[in-house]
Amino acid sequence: ESEVVRNISLRQLRGWKLTVGLDHGTADGKQCAMLVASTDYDTPRPRMAWLEESVNEGFTAPEDDARGIKDMLSRRGLTYGDVDEWIGDVPATSDLLEITKSNEEIRRELAKQYGIPLKNMKRIVNPAKSARSMQTGLRTMNTIFSRRSTEGVPDGIVDERCEHFRSACLKFKG
């Protein structure tokens, strides 16, 4: 069970790495992005804070998804340049909807919407996925959520605004 916190302050997380993670989708409500802060990520005891989410309801095009990401960052008073790392997803396609979503398409749309030359945009890194990557990721999150510092501070906290994320974690049966 995660520690749910109301309005996690970015000041509390000064020096933490800010990452935007993407999950492409072509079906209703499938495109999602998360803003996550992490520290001690290169140790056996990382700490993480899930800060904000962008979940698009219904059919969206890459420009809609980029706008959702931009709005997500804006709600936190952040811009594109404040994000340290971008982690994407494998491309998603739908023959029925005649649409493809990819990291590069989202990156191009973000460049347009922020008015930044594409050559100055950070790469959206392709994740290393395996047959059990979702289970491995959730096991890692469960470990983070179950730990606390000697002062009782949880290693994993989730902002209450991350409703879809919390719901997905609680419903996952994998």
Side-chain angles (χ1 to χ4, degrees):
E1 179 70 22
S2 67
E3 180 85 9
V4 178
V5 177
R6 181 181 176 104
N7 297 323
I8 299 169
S9 167
L10 290 176
R11 275 180 264 167
Q12 294 173 265
L13 307 174
R14 193 169 312 236
W16 290 38
K17 178 169 67 172
L18 290 177
T19 301
V20 169
L22 307 174
D23 184 13
H24 303 313
T26 57
D28 288 357
K30 288 287 191 172
Q31 177 71 28
C32 163
M34 297 256 353
L35 175 63
V36 180
S38 60
T39 191
D40 303 327
Y41 43 85
D42 53 353
T43 73
R45 188 91 188 240
R47 293 182 294 151
M48 299 187 73
W50 286 262
L51 302 173
E52 190 80 40
E53 63 186 7
S54 170
V55 178
N56 291 325
E57 302 293 337
F59 172 79
T60 59
E63 55 268 25
D64 302 313
D65 302 328
R67 190 175 311 103
I69 294 166
K70 186 177 177 186
D71 291 347
M72 173 184 72
L73 294 176
S74 182
R75 286 192 297 271
R76 283 300 184 145
L78 300 170
T79 66
Y80 175 83
D82 294 318
V83 177
D84 300 305
E85 178 180 51
W86 294 79
I87 299 177
D89 193 9
V90 296
T93 60
S94 170
D95 293 334
L96 176 66
L97 301 173
E98 295 183 16
I99 192 163
T100 300
K101 294 194 181 177
S102 70
N103 299 333
E104 193 55 30
E105 286 178 328
I106 300 290
R107 184 173 169 256
R108 276 195 299 270
E109 289 299 330
L110 285 167
K112 284 180 195 174
Q113 292 182 28
Y114 277 108
I116 300 172
L118 188 59
K119 66 180 181 175
N120 295 342
M121 298 291 288
K122 296 172 186 168
R123 293 272 174 218
I124 299 176
V125 179
N126 285 328
K129 290 212 174 184
S130 67
R132 300 209 34 93
S133 60
M134 186 178 292
Q135 289 84 354
T136 301
L138 282 169
R139 188 171 24 262
T140 300
M141 289 188 329
N142 281 334
T143 300
I144 290 169
F145 289 146
S146 69
R147 291 180 172 161
R148 292 182 176 272
S149 71
T150 53
E151 296 83 29
V153 177
D155 286 356
I157 55 175
V158 179
D159 193 286
E160 69 178 359
R161 292 179 278 193
C162 298
E163 294 175 20
H164 289 90
F165 174 68
R166 288 192 343 256
S167 175
C169 287
L170 293 171
K171 290 179 185 173
F172 183 71
K173 301 278 191 240

